[in-house]
C-alpha cells in the first residue's frame, strides 16, 4: 500500500514539474492573461511562490530573469529521486 502512495506522489510531482516547465516556456510566447496561462499559474504558483519569496529575501529585488521555476523544478526532481529510493 505504501508503494502505491509513493508512486502516486512521484507521478503527481512529475505532473507539477512538467506544468512548471510548460509555464516557463509559454511565458515567452503567450499572453499571461490567456486562459491556459491562468490555469498553469494557478496549478504551479503554490510550488514556485515560496521559492520566489526565498530568493527575493536573499537577493533583494529580483533580477530581470526569474530563476524560481528552475529552482522549483530542481527541488521537485530531487524529491522524485528520494521517492524512488525510499519506495523503490
Amino acid at each position: 500500500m505504501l508503494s502505491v502512495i509513493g508512486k502516486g506522489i512521484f507521478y503527481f510531482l512529475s505532473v507539477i514539474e512538467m506544468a512548471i516547465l510548460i509555464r516557463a516556456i509559454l511565458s515567452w510566447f503567450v499572453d499571461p492573461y490567456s486562459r491556459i496561462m491562468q490555469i498553469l499559474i494557478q496549478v504551479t504558483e503554490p510550488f514556485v511562490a515560496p521559492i520566489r519569496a526565498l530568493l527575493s529575501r536573499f537577493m533583494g529585488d529580483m533580477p530581470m530573469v526569474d530563476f524560481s521555476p528552475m529552482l522549483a523544478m530542481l527541488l521537485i526532481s530531487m524529491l522524485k529521486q528520494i521517492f524512488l529510493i525510499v519506495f523503490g
Side-chain angles (χ1 to χ4, degrees):
M1 182 68 175
L2 199 57
S3 83
V4 172
I5 294 171
K7 286 181 182 179
I9 293 171
F10 178 83
Y11 290 128
F12 172 74
L13 290 174
S14 296
V15 168
I16 295 299
E17 185 178 30
M18 187 60 62
I20 292 171
L21 178 64
I22 292 169
R23 174 186 171 182
I25 292 172
L26 286 181
S27 70
W28 297 335
F29 305 107
V30 178
D31 179 31
Y33 299 106
S34 69
R35 180 86 171 131
I36 186 72
M37 283 302 290
Q38 289 300 310
I39 292 170
L40 285 171
I41 288 170
Q42 288 177 352
V43 169
T44 60
E45 196 63 19
F47 299 93
V48 176
I51 296 169
R52 187 179 298 122
L54 190 63
L55 282 176
S56 68
R57 189 174 190 190
F58 288 109
M59 296 176 66
D61 290 333
M62 291 300 288
M64 290 182 62
V65 177
D66 185 12
F67 291 106
S68 55
M70 187 178 358
L71 288 174
M73 288 176 52
L74 179 67
L75 289 174
I76 290 172
S77 179
M78 290 188 323
L79 275 173
K80 285 172 40 180
Q81 292 302 318
I82 290 170
F83 274 99
L84 280 178
I85 292 168
V86 171
F87 295 108

